[in-house]
Amino acid sequence: MPTTASNTTATSSATATRTSSATRSTRTTADPESTATRLAKALRTGPFSLALRLAVRQSGLSLDRLQSHLHSRGTPASKTALSYWQHGHTRPERPESLLAVSTLEEILGLDPEALTSLLGPRRPRGRWLHHRSGTLPPDRAWARPDGLARALAHLDARPEFLHHLSRVASHLTISVDADRRLHSITHHHLLRAERDTDRYLVAFRSDHPTGPLQLPESRGCRPGRQRADDTTGFRVLELLLDRPLRAGELTVLDYTVLPGRLPDAEHTVRIGQAVRDLSVQVQFAPGNLPARVVRGYRRSVGEPDTVAELWVGASRTAQLTAVDPAPGIYRVRWDWS
């Protein structure tokens, strides 16, 4: 909260008055710079409430003026709502509230999505009330986030676009062929739109890129554009939804990716935002079982894995499963000797 100096204490000392005035002048001069620095950091790291509060402070606008500006632009929000958003008591989740936040970004002179990108998924309700919270930003999820940013830029997108659809449930089946190469990855996702959108962006990375990804089949979507950053091995795939989604709507997507028979001996899944459940099944070809399969988890790329062995069952399948998984990096790795 902004603080103001008390004006209730009077003094008859001219020296004290001059000193007090000088102090107030110094504070007035220093505060905008301090606020700007804190705002820049909050816009990078959050939380939303702090970023909004600092942006409002820097603008010099009262809640009355903000409310008036929002109303005149057709995206009204009450003073109570604005106050609650600033102090973290509530956060905007309904479509009309998200539109008001987008308008606030313009009124406050911020970049588009500077505030909305900090909101993350909707707060869990009902049976999901105790779901783990948190996010995994790109600079903690990937060793070379600059490559991801460049690949996304070719699609006129930024890293936060990856979260316009959040995963409620995510199930993957990895197929490893008789030549010990990663043959296909089948995805089954239950997704929720965090804002109005008509596409889903998916990021892939391999140390052995072999060219464009192939999608032989899909349901709920169809392949769109595909862009790569060859230096870092990133490839971003655009999936066009069967129908546009409004914020809060759910959809199911099924699609199979053929990555080009990669020699990779692992598959990694990054959970950037809260997910109800996650499963990764790796199925091996008959007569070609690995000597060992392990699962790993780490909170970010800069931390070591927590590792545990996985059993390969009669169906030649190893499974990583998690309910309410914490945001982080999940990995299944197999060794042939």
Side-chain angles (χ1 to χ4, degrees):
M1 286 290 294
T3 57
T4 55
S6 172
N7 296 322
T8 59
T9 303
T11 178
S12 59
S13 168
T15 302
T17 301
R18 286 195 298 272
T19 301
S20 177
S21 299
T23 301
R24 284 197 298 270
S25 175
T26 301
R27 286 176 182 167
T28 301
T29 302
D31 187 63
E33 181 179 356
S34 174
T35 299
T37 301
R38 294 177 63 199
L39 174 59
K41 180 179 179 180
L43 290 173
R44 291 194 305 270
T45 63
F48 167 81
S49 57
L50 176 62
L52 175 60
R53 187 163 69 247
L54 292 172
V56 171
R57 181 190 300 181
Q58 180 165 270
S59 74
L61 295 172
S62 66
L63 293 186
D64 285 317
R65 293 296 299 156
L66 283 177
Q67 183 186 30
S68 177
H69 283 305
L70 289 169
H71 187 271
S72 67
R73 299 182 189 209
T75 54
S78 69
K79 285 175 55 179
T80 300
L82 292 171
S83 177
Y84 280 8
W85 294 349
Q86 285 190 82
H87 297 94
H89 300 316
T90 63
R91 71 176 191 177
E93 292 186 340
R94 294 180 300 173
E96 55 268 31
S97 298
L98 295 174
L99 287 174
V101 175
S102 295
T103 305
L104 278 174
E105 292 165 345
E106 181 181 346
I107 294 170
L108 298 173
L110 303 175
D111 291 337
E113 300 195 11
L115 293 173
T116 52
S117 65
L118 299 175
L119 287 170
R122 295 181 66 188
R123 284 178 175 167
R125 305 187 187 279
R127 293 174 60 190
W128 201 23
L129 188 61
H130 302 292
H131 190 86
R132 294 175 184 263
S133 61
T135 60
L136 180 71
D139 61 342
R140 294 180 58 203
W142 305 94
R144 291 293 304 274
D146 56 312
L148 174 61
R150 285 192 294 269
L152 285 166
H154 293 314
L155 292 174
D156 302 317
R158 296 187 299 177
E160 53 266 30
F161 278 53
L162 294 171
H163 303 305
H164 283 186
L165 279 168
S166 62
R167 287 177 284 182
V168 178
S170 189
H171 306 283
L172 286 75
T173 301
I174 317 297
S175 174
V176 180
D177 65 19
D179 294 326
R180 300 182 176 180
R181 291 178 176 269
L182 199 157
H183 176 261
S184 65
I185 310 166
T186 298
H187 299 253
H188 176 82
H189 299 309
L190 173 59
L191 305 171
R192 179 179 54 236
E194 302 303 336
R195 58 184 303 140
D196 296 355
T197 188
D198 60 358
R199 62 176 176 164
Y200 180 49
L201 299 181
V202 186
F204 294 87
R205 184 185 175 278
S206 173
D207 291 329
H208 310 94
T210 58
L213 303 168
Q214 303 297 320
L215 269 80
E217 57 180 332
S218 61
R219 289 185 298 277
C221 61
R222 66 185 190 279
R225 297 171 294 170
Q226 192 173 151
R227 297 292 184 269
D229 182 71
D230 293 331
T231 302
T232 56
F234 274 104
R235 190 167 296 277
V236 177
L237 176 63
E238 177 186 60
L239 298 176
L240 306 176
L241 305 182
D242 281 355
R243 66 176 182 88
L245 296 178
R246 300 281 293 175
E249 289 189 313
L250 298 171
T251 191
V252 173
L253 299 188
D254 289 285
Y255 56 94
T256 296
V257 176
L258 303 182
R261 300 185 68 243
L262 297 173
D264 298 353
E266 68 175 52
H267 189 73
T268 303
V269 179
R270 285 157 172 81
I271 301 298
Q273 296 175 319
V275 175
R276 288 191 187 185
D277 56 85
L278 167 71
S279 70
V280 180
Q281 294 181 304
V282 183
Q283 185 166 49
F284 300 93
N288 241 321
L289 296 183
R292 181 171 181 254
V293 182
V294 298
R295 60 175 290 169
Y297 168 76
R298 49 182 160 169
R299 289 182 297 177
S300 70
V301 291
E303 300 183 21
D305 275 357
T306 300
V307 177
E309 292 216 25
L310 290 177
W311 182 267
V312 180
S315 62
R316 309 181 310 281
T317 302
Q319 300 183 3
L320 179 159
T321 57
V323 176
D324 290 352
I329 302 169
Y330 294 80
R331 180 176 67 156
V332 179
R333 179 175 179 82
W334 49 97
D335 297 314
W336 300 107
S337 59

